[in-house]
Amino acid sequence: MSVGSGQLHEGRPFDPYDAHRDDPYSFLADITEPVFYAPLLNAWCVTRREDMVAVLRDDRNFSARDHNPRSSVELPEDVSRMLRTWRGAGALAVGSLDPPEHTRIREVLNVGFTPARVRAFEPTVRSIAADLAERTAVAAEFDFITAFAVPYALEVICRRLGIPDEYLDRLRTWSEQRIELMMLQSYTDPDPLREYARGLMEFGAFARSLAQERLVSPQDDLISELLHDGKAGRTLTADEVSVQIPTLVFAGHMTCAEALGTIFYQQLQAPGGWAEVVDGTIAPRDLVEEGLRIDSPLAGMYRTALHDVVVGDVHLAAGSRLLLLYGAAGRDSRAHACPAGFSPGSESASHLAFGHGIHFCLGAGFARMELEVAIQALAARMPDLTLAPGPPPCHRPVFPLRALSELRVRQRRRVAGRSSGDLGDTLAPAELT
């Protein structure tokens, strides 16, 4: 790839799958160039917030069509074919569309996430959060990710879509299979890859069946709204809706669960701990925004240059692939006074965790409500939550997602029939969740 004179051609050894998986930010903080080439990713990494915003606003020079991460190994032909066609031949989710097609699809999808729709659905979210917090609270120590964050986020988005609870486990499996195929970094036995691909084919068939059902028999859910309740009569066809369902499921629960993991980990290890949330010192909204800034659940998103362009004073040829590092933008010293410090309430809302421009996350308001409700429910039911003893949690090798493998937490349990003034708070034996 051609760059302007004086730019580095050898690139930077940025490895978010291994060496920099748990802490990419220390490496990025030492990079002085606003744009650098990462050979491992075969992409130009953009680290400065203002440059990312400029790219995200410029859909004439940059395409979102190839915005997902790519497997770094060659997949078997049958697996590759299934990966290309599981949504339908040539079908693309809204995040991969450019105008004018993006504009038409996005306009209808927005109807499902208006402030009024979010407010109307909030009581359902509160019920889900309270019920799961109650069930999780039986254990003195548990993995916050698998016991609460993932099941909560998945149940919320599926309830909004109108997907019965009996499909939750399968949807979680299908989502994991998609991650494995998209982000494969080393060759493995092809048989599991074929199993994952067949799972995605089942996911696509399930989405098409569900859209057809709602077309004939609409219910009080998002899928029915997209088919029947579009603004000024504009709706989507059953085929168009079926293409969007997997993305709504995937993005609707994975990023929310990842954000919850980061938020709780950051606050539980902060000097004031969880107590500052329970007593109201830190507002849930401020905690959410700071958690999204300090470690965005989506560390970045790819764009492709449609023409020769200049980004951050670097001249890039048409066809160059860019990785906009949203997480780095959250720690841009030009936008934040203390970029590496976790400080809820300190102008955190300037982050790019939800993107920017025409592809700004359509469910941002929904996600903010969902995260705040979870914090409130857990503060009410588990006021003494702390990190469990042990090594710091690790991240999964699923970049650009920022997903903790687990987050062990514990809570102080009061002995039945005694107040804390009698014997003090004691840790009850751990129970299975």
Side-chain angles (χ1 to χ4, degrees), residues 189-212:
D189 185 343
D191 287 340
L193 301 183
R194 292 189 173 96
E195 179 184 349
Y196 301 157
R198 287 192 292 269
L200 286 190
M201 296 298 288
E202 293 173 2
F203 198 177
F206 168 79
R208 287 187 289 275
S209 174
L210 190 61
Q212 286 292 337

Side-chain angles (χ1 to χ4, degrees), residues 23 28 55 60 77 79 113 163 174 200 211 221 236 242 262-263 323 354 379 428:
D23 179 20
L28 295 173
V55 170
R60 296 181 62 185
E77 176 52 36
V79 173
F113 295 96
I163 299 175
W174 288 333
L200 286 190
D221 57 42
L236 300 180
S242 72
T262 292
I263 288 167
L323 174 59
F354 294 116

Side-chain angles (χ1 to χ4, degrees), residues 21-43:
R21 183 176 65 194
D22 292 321
D23 179 20
Y25 303 111
S26 295
F27 174 85
L28 295 173
D30 291 334
I31 300 295
T32 57
E33 307 101 312
V35 180
F36 69 91
Y37 183 67
L40 180 67
L41 305 174
N42 191 23

Side-chain angles (χ1 to χ4, degrees), residues 48-370:
R48 193 164 57 186
R49 187 182 191 279
E50 63 186 84
D51 295 326
M52 293 184 219
V53 169
V55 170
L56 291 167
R57 286 176 173 172
D58 187 0
D59 54 88
R60 296 181 62 185
N61 284 307
F62 300 95
S63 172
R65 191 175 182 87
D66 191 21
H67 80 280
N68 283 319
R70 301 170 178 167
S71 169
S72 63
V73 300
E74 186 175 353
L75 299 172
E77 176 52 36
D78 57 338
V79 173
S80 181
R81 182 178 64 255
M82 286 187 278
L83 187 57
R84 291 193 307 269
T85 62
W86 66 280
R87 294 179 188 268
L92 293 173
V94 66
S96 298
L97 295 174
D98 294 323
E101 189 66 3
H102 171 269
T103 306
R104 182 181 68 84
I105 300 293
R106 172 70 182 242
E107 185 178 62
V108 181
L109 290 174
N110 283 338
V111 171
F113 295 96
T114 63
R117 299 273 194 186
V118 172
R119 286 194 298 272
F121 194 68
E122 184 174 333
T124 300
V125 178
R126 290 193 177 279
S127 176
I128 294 170
D131 180 63
L132 185 54
E134 185 70 24
R135 287 186 279 124
T136 306
V138 301
E141 181 175 322
F142 56 93
D143 173 18
F144 178 78
I145 304 300
T146 58
F148 185 90
V150 172
Y152 167 70
L154 184 57
E155 185 173 350
V156 166
I157 191 59
C158 286
R159 193 75 63 84
R160 180 69 184 97
L161 288 167
I163 299 175
D165 289 351
E166 65 192 84
Y167 292 101
L168 293 179
D169 287 342
R170 270 179 280 181
L171 288 165
R172 183 172 179 178
T173 297
W174 288 333
S175 295
E176 288 293 334
Q177 289 171 332
R178 186 185 178 206
I179 287 178
E180 290 292 337
L181 289 175
M182 287 173 58
M183 304 177 187
L184 189 65
Q185 293 302 301
S186 60
Y187 188 76
T188 185
D189 185 343
D191 287 340
L193 301 183
R194 292 189 173 96
E195 179 184 349
Y196 301 157
R198 287 192 292 269
L200 286 190
M201 296 298 288
E202 293 173 2
F203 198 177
F206 168 79
R208 287 187 289 275
S209 174
L210 190 61
Q212 286 292 337
E213 288 178 10
R214 295 297 187 272
L215 182 64
V216 175
S217 303
Q219 299 182 18
D220 183 18
D221 57 42
L222 176 57
I223 295 174
S224 300
E225 292 163 11
L226 299 178
L227 291 164
H228 300 280
D229 300 339
K231 182 179 179 182
R234 289 187 289 273
T235 58
L236 300 180
T237 67
D239 285 343
E240 289 172 333
V241 170
S242 72
V243 171
Q244 310 308 324
I245 288 173
T247 290
L248 290 169
V249 171
F250 185 83
H253 88 274
M254 293 295 289
T255 52
C256 178
E258 291 154 14
L260 277 174
T262 292
I263 288 167
F264 273 77
Y265 176 54
Q266 293 291 340
Q267 186 58 41
L268 290 174
Q269 68 172 343
W274 186 235
E276 290 191 331
V277 180
V278 174
D279 67 17
T281 300
I282 295 176
R285 170 62 61 89
D286 291 338
L287 183 58
V288 166
E289 298 302 331
E290 182 67 349
L292 293 171
R293 179 195 73 81
I294 199 71
D295 198 354
S296 171
L298 185 61
M301 191 68 79
Y302 290 94
R303 290 292 185 270
T304 304
L306 297 174
H307 312 97
D308 291 354
V309 292
V310 177
V311 180
D313 297 327
V314 178
H315 296 259
L316 302 177
S320 296
R321 201 161 190 242
L322 289 77
L323 174 59
L324 310 180
L325 289 168
Y326 296 161
R331 299 186 182 216
D332 190 333
S333 60
R334 288 168 289 273
H336 304 280
C338 187
F342 181 73
S343 180
S346 57
E347 302 179 2
S348 303
S350 61
H351 60 72
L352 291 181
F354 294 116
H356 192 82
I358 65 170
H359 285 281
F360 180 80
C361 177
L362 62 90
F366 185 90
R368 284 182 162 112
M369 176 272 291
E370 183 179 359

Side-chain angles (χ1 to χ4, degrees), residues 3-15:
V3 297
S5 60
Q7 295 297 326
L8 293 175
H9 290 266
E10 67 272 17
R12 294 282 187 171
F14 183 42
D15 184 2

